[in-house]
Amino acid sequence: MESPLPLHVCHVNNLSVILNKLHAFLHCIAIALLIYYRASYLLQETRAISIIPWLLVFASELLLSFIWLLGRAYLWRPVSRTVFPERLPEDDKLPAIDVFICTADPEKEPTFGVMNTVLSAMALDYPVDKLHVYLSDDGGSPITLRGMREAFRFAKWWIPFCRRYRIKTICPQAYFSEAESDENFGDSEFVTEKRKIKEKYEMFEEQVMKAVEDGEYGNSRNHSTIIEQIIQDTSGENETIRQADLVEMPLLVYVSREKSPEHLHHFKGGALNVLLRVSGVISNSPYILGLDCDMYCNDPTSARQAMCFHLDPKTSSSLAFVQFPQKFHNFNEHDIYDGSLRSGYRLQWPGMDGLKGPFLTGTGHYIRRESLYGNFKHKGIDLAELKDTFGESNLFIKSLHQSYEHKNVNGENLSNVLQQETEVLASCSYEHQTKWGEEVGFSYQSVSEDFFTGFILHCKGWTSTYLDPSRPQFLGTSTTNLNDVLIQGTRWASGLIDVSISRFCPLLYGPSRMSLLLSMCYGEMSLFPLLYCLPLWCFATLPQLCLLNGIPLYPEVSSPFFMVFSFIFLSAICKHLQEVISTGGSVYTWRNEQRIWMIKSVTSHFYGSMDAIMKLLGLRKASFLPTNKVLDNEQVKRYEMGQFDFQTSSVFLVPMVSLMILNVAALVCGVIRMIAVGNWDKLFAQVLLSLYILIINFAIVEGMIVRKDKGRISPSAILLSSVFFVTFLFFGSIILI
């Protein structure tokens, strides 16, 4: 008897594997020679050296070497995958899916954009009776609830249109803004229908915008629970909707959990756990699609593609989630802020997929509900223990058995009993003295709840899969100004360092629970903000400070060890360039990534690391600042031109500008010193380092001196940075030299 055709296949790029391992081997030899040179030089007591800068530079080199070594795990066995959704079973045999969408602030996350994400999820190519969409509104805003009702009204037209004509761009905002390229454009019936739907869309947009103008934003930190199933209401319709179109619509539920200043709400992780409980007693689908409110579904087939893995009998028993990459519709070819996150989604995630699977990203994943319940849903656990774990709701305890399904008819309001139960499940006090956020549900250990939850799932033996189809399955809005990039980077860095300095540090907690290579990947991701910010601060200041005082820190050009340092420097640069080119980038992409890496390391990564350490010491409370999704036309114009927008806080500007002033001063003084004194071979490496930093970050120098537009660096920031530079130069020369 022939075995059924596979639902997916895995491809290993053996040539890349060989090249990656060969490069790692040669680079390791060079690092070993560097360590030998530094150690032997320090042990020679006859040499008079400035011990403090030497030790600090050596320590920085060791830290960079360590984080580089951890990163080799990503390149050990990168894979790619292909799926065959046409081989899936019939629709009536497919499992149900709950979609979780989270929003928190209607001012920073515009309601109209959020509703487009909701509509795109409702229009997925999946049996409508098995598709349930939940929106968590942590802002408790009446505007969002009204927007949901308007979105459902428009969905009665939009979903049948998408299904009837097999529309691929199922987000209406994206569909009506793209160029006319529909295959059915020549069909007069289609043209007429599309014109009608566009009119409905414009009416929908007008109603949502009116709600935004007239509505109240509410108190996002103190409000009661609101849970409403959005139902069909044809009253007041002037046109007759086809009877067939009225029959089936995905379930749509609005959830605003109770918020109170007296209770911890655990940010996005807390909102997701409320959705997990509320959906458990309403639809209880075995699989969940997690989406950010600005990350709309760009292809209707993502659910079927994910099911190619979840329904594979060979892997489904241990598979926790299928992760799709985050891709964005609003960055251009310049991508000056590295908004595409190229290295993550083109290198790191495929590399982890060749081990036991990638990190869990906060959006674009199909996760198995059972994996979030730990081992507590298995038979043999008594009711008292289940209530200690999951809370006092008998109905939710009952939902832990996958056979449970509440028979709620779509189109009818929730029953009084179910309404009351969901409000209890979404209350502030429900999680008190339970294991939510600790052993079940999404984790509260870090504000990066997605990263830590994925780590714990892998530690428990679950696996994951990464799928990157040619057509982006989800598209979002990337940050296109420096201020939002650095604020977002600070939040991410803080969340990652939260994990690395806790008892769950991947390098200590992971190896006994997962493979060493996978632990190295998690370790690199959790530690990189701290292990990059410290060395980069050192390399941007100490060699320059020593250069100003005529103190060499690197081998002479005539020394054989100069070739070792040169090889390490060029090896790292060339390897990065090769990775960029091989994943579709260019030399400009490489330059942009180098620049934003340096900028983030001395600003957002530094502040994020300090924030996490202060939280650990009890000096600061955890906070979560949503990324701004509102576009500023002037900032967008500068971004399109490839110009940095330096309209950001002095907290971010002063470190960048001060370091540029220091490197300019060091370069000028270093060149003069080499010409006047003639010891160019001793100081050449330090001059070259300052020159490289200035070339890569010329946009900052340009913003200080050349540009006169609104996005330049303000004179006050330059003045403050100059004071900081002089102060640092004075004390640095006294302490270190």
Side-chain angles (χ1 to χ4, degrees), residues 94 208 218 238 261 299 331 348 364 422 450 469 526 542 558 572 578 627 704 725:
L94 292 176
V208 174
N238 295 323
D299 188 282
F331 66 83
Q348 294 174 328
T422 56
D450 48 357
S526 66
L542 285 180
S558 58
Q578 177 267 321
T627 304
M704 295 166 54
F725 160 71

Side-chain angles (χ1 to χ4, degrees), residues 360-427:
L360 179 66
T361 306
T363 183
H365 57 259
Y366 285 85
I367 190 168
R368 187 175 180 175
R369 183 184 290 267
E370 180 184 0
S371 68
L372 297 169
Y373 289 163
N375 298 319
F376 294 97
K377 70 181 295 294
H378 295 165
K379 295 179 180 179
I381 300 178
D382 61 34
L383 183 61
E385 185 175 353
L386 287 174
K387 288 191 173 184
D388 287 342
T389 301
F390 293 102
E392 294 293 327
S393 173
N394 290 322
L395 190 57
F396 182 77
I397 297 296
K398 185 179 179 182
S399 76
L400 296 178
H401 302 285
Q402 199 60 59
S403 58
Y404 166 85
E405 183 180 358
H406 178 77
K407 298 298 182 181
N408 187 68
V409 180
N410 195 6
E412 295 182 1
N413 284 315
L414 299 176
S415 66
N416 290 333
V417 173
L418 191 57
Q419 181 74 37
Q420 293 175 6
E421 194 71 20
T422 56
E423 290 178 0
V424 169
L425 290 167
S427 64

